[in-house]
Amino acid sequence: MPEEYTSLVSALKALTQGTAPDPVITLPMAENEWNTRPDADSYGIVALDFEADALYGDNLKQITAYEGSVDLFSRSKDGAGWVELIVATLTEYCEGAWSLNSHQYERENNIFHWEWVFQVEG
Amino acid sequence: MPFMIDISGMKELQEKINKLKEKSQNAAAMALYEGARIVADEVGRSVQGITTEPFHYAKSGEKRKPSPEEKAAIVGSPHGVARFRKKLERIDTSVGWNHAGYVDVNWNHMNSKARTNYKAVNFKGSSHTASSTLKWIREQGGSEKYGLSQDIGRHAQNQKPVGAIANAINSGTSFMEKQPFMRKAFNRSKNEAVEKIEQELEKRIEEMIQD
């Protein structure tokens, strides 16, 4: 994984600026840093899912809004602190254009799953 | 000098105003239904875009795509607009799968439905039970002919809840790759649906006034 993807913000930037080779970025998370341990008990996936809206002017697409999602999978009930970090990052990077879409529990695997949806200008 | 004004028809006017409230709720519900129908149709189209791969258990740290059988379970299950809910002055509804408790997925188990009167629409487009859909797939050559995995009909046999499968594909899980077909469908249809609701409301309000 490229070094610049080790934080949520850099992953979001790479996705929205089209510099990411893959539209889905997985960020294993553990301890105090992202991408420190592949078998981490918590990991996140940031993805741009689809083009949500566009503004046209002068026969050209002037602004494109993309809808994406951040998924956090964690064995910890409180997300091992990543929930607060993701919420703070989304608030800063996406301003108000995000929401918690779902919060689920996989009984078979004992994993908690948070799913945030955001919109960013591409 | 004192004077008096006689106003007639006040009682009738009052009755008409009282009826308007009742009629306006019906009009709102009818308009909402027209909008929700557009969203439901788009969800139906969006499901077709789910990509699949033959079933296999995901290795640790990897995610798999849904199997063709899982997609077939969703495609073959009835979906549409839920029963309308009235909350105080508000009317709302949901779009999704019958067995999924609609968009706000709950975990109803399809098993109980299957024992009663579960109906699914198979690839031929006609209405069948889940088991007859499975039988039809086998009769048509089963997994090999359609490039499906060998455990075809696994979900029909095990009666896995369609809602849970749809939710796993839409939101992703620790073992399933995410394909947000519901959000895509909502996004694609929202403008048209809102426009339709506005049009229908205007039309129905006009009819109410002229009544």
Side-chain angles (χ1 to χ4, degrees), chain A:
Chain A
M1 181 179 289
E3 195 61 31
E4 65 266 28
Y5 293 169
T6 52
S7 82
L8 178 61
V9 172
S10 60
L12 281 171
K13 277 182 183 164
L15 286 171
T16 52
Q17 289 164 7
T19 55
D22 192 328
V24 178
I25 292 176
T26 306
L27 299 170
M29 299 176 275
E31 304 294 328
N32 300 315
E33 291 180 54
W34 301 74
N35 194 27
T36 53
R37 219 172 58 193
D39 61 340
D41 281 344
S42 302
Y43 67 95
I45 297 173
V46 191
L48 287 190
D49 297 323
F50 52 87
E51 185 181 313
D53 216 342
L55 183 69
Y56 290 87
D58 296 334
N59 256 353
L60 287 170
K61 194 185 276 186
Q62 303 287 352
I63 301 171
T64 308
Y66 290 98
E67 186 162 315
S69 53
V70 180
D71 289 275
L72 170 67
F73 295 90
S74 177
R75 294 196 187 280
S76 165
K77 195 178 173 184
D78 60 1
W82 293 106
V83 173
E84 291 77 10
L85 183 73
I86 289 170
V87 166
T89 310
L90 286 173
T91 305
E92 192 182 332
Y93 190 74
C94 306
E95 297 171 2
W98 65 269
S99 64
L100 178 65
N101 199 42
S102 68
H103 181 205
Q104 302 172 49
Y105 175 62
E106 289 177 29
R107 193 179 296 174
E108 298 93 339
N109 303 315
N110 190 26
I111 284 181
F112 294 89
H113 176 196
W114 289 258
E115 182 193 22
W116 289 272
V117 173
F118 60 85
Q119 285 199 357
V120 282
E121 189 184 320

Side-chain angles (χ1 to χ4, degrees), chain B residues 135-207:
Chain B
K135 195 178 162 197
W136 178 81
I137 293 170
R138 282 181 177 146
E139 283 168 1
Q140 300 303 310
S143 57
E144 284 169 19
K145 183 175 178 182
Y146 288 92
L148 309 179
S149 63
Q150 287 302 313
D151 60 344
I152 180 104
R154 174 187 184 83
H155 300 288
Q157 277 173 341
N158 293 345
Q159 303 298 342
K160 291 196 176 178
V162 174
I165 298 169
N167 185 49
I169 297 170
N170 187 55
S171 290
T173 66
S174 61
F175 57 86
M176 178 82 81
E177 193 179 291
K178 178 180 192 165
Q179 296 187 48
F181 63 93
M182 292 292 273
R183 278 199 287 123
K184 272 186 195 170
F186 294 155
N187 188 71
R188 273 202 294 260
S189 58
K190 69 182 174 193
N191 290 343
E192 197 188 339
V194 168
E195 209 169 290
K196 184 73 180 172
I197 290 170
E198 282 174 0
Q199 279 174 6
E200 286 293 319
L201 263 181
E202 269 176 34
K203 196 175 90 183
R204 288 172 199 282
I205 288 170
E206 210 157 289
E207 282 172 5

